[in-house]
Structure formats: structure tokens, C-alpha cells
């Protein structure tokens, strides 16, 4: 799909979602990781301690990330989590 839109309540963002989750579970921002592949994910990738762009993401998304992994279809999330030692 060449076009997309996010519809959210005014003031709600993916960064705010991260902040609400870490507040609820009493964890720190330094312990967060986000995954994204679209332009609407750029600010979230920058907000989390580790931002991971999926392999199918465009160059601007990859540039905003700390790490670029394989595509979703190539188990990119699992590969990134292995890279960072979260899973074996």
C-alpha cells in the first residue's frame, strides 16, 4: 500500500503509548525496544532506548533506527532480539 493514515485521538502518539506502558509496568525507558517499518514509526524508533527498523522499511525509517534487521517475512524481529541478546 503506497499510502496509509493513522487515526488517533489528539495528543495520542506511539511515544505516548511507550510511556504509558513503562509507567504501568514500572520499567524505565532505557529498557525499551521498538520495531517499525513505516514513516509513522520514526518518532517511536527515536524515542525508545533501541529503535529497530525492519528490512522492508524505507531509507528514512532505517536512518532513524539504531539497528536495521531483516524483513518481517525473514524473521526480522527474532533476528534483532538475538542480535541484542534478548533471546538465543
Amino acid at each position: 500500500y503506497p499510502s496509509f493514515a493513522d487515526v488517533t485521538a489528539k495528543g495520542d502518539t506511539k511515544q505516548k503509548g511507550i510511556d504509558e506502558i513503562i509507567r504501568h509496568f514500572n520499567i524505565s525507558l532505557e529498557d525499551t525496544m521498538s520495531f517499525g517499518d513505516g514513516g509513522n514509526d520514526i518518532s517511536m524508533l527515536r524515542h525508545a532506548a533501541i529503535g529497530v527498523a525492519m528490512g522492508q522499511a524505507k531509507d528514512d525509517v532505517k536512518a532513524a533506527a539504531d539497528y536495521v534487521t531483516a524483513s518481517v517475512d525473514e524473521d526480522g524481529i527474532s533476528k534483532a532480539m538475538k542480535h541484542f541478546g534478548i533471546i538465543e
Side-chain angles (χ1 to χ4, degrees):
Y1 301 96
S3 300
F4 64 88
D6 285 340
V7 179
T8 60
K10 186 175 181 176
D12 283 346
T13 63
K14 292 182 179 189
Q15 306 89 281
K16 183 178 178 185
I18 289 171
D19 291 340
E20 291 294 325
I21 289 169
I22 64 176
R23 182 192 56 75
H24 179 79
F25 289 103
N26 196 31
I27 59 175
S28 68
L29 186 62
E30 292 78 28
D31 294 326
T32 62
M33 179 182 285
S34 66
F35 295 82
D37 65 355
N40 61 330
D41 297 323
I42 290 174
S43 58
M44 175 187 66
L45 293 172
R46 290 179 177 155
H47 184 63
I50 300 171
V52 179
M54 304 306 295
Q56 72 274 8
K58 293 189 177 188
D59 289 341
D60 59 338
V61 178
K62 291 177 180 179
D66 300 298
Y67 181 75
V68 178
T69 190
S71 72
V72 170
D73 294 333
E74 298 171 321
D75 296 323
I77 292 175
S78 175
K79 288 177 180 176
M81 293 178 77
K82 287 177 183 175
H83 172 81
F84 286 101
I86 297 168
I87 62 173
E88 294 184 14

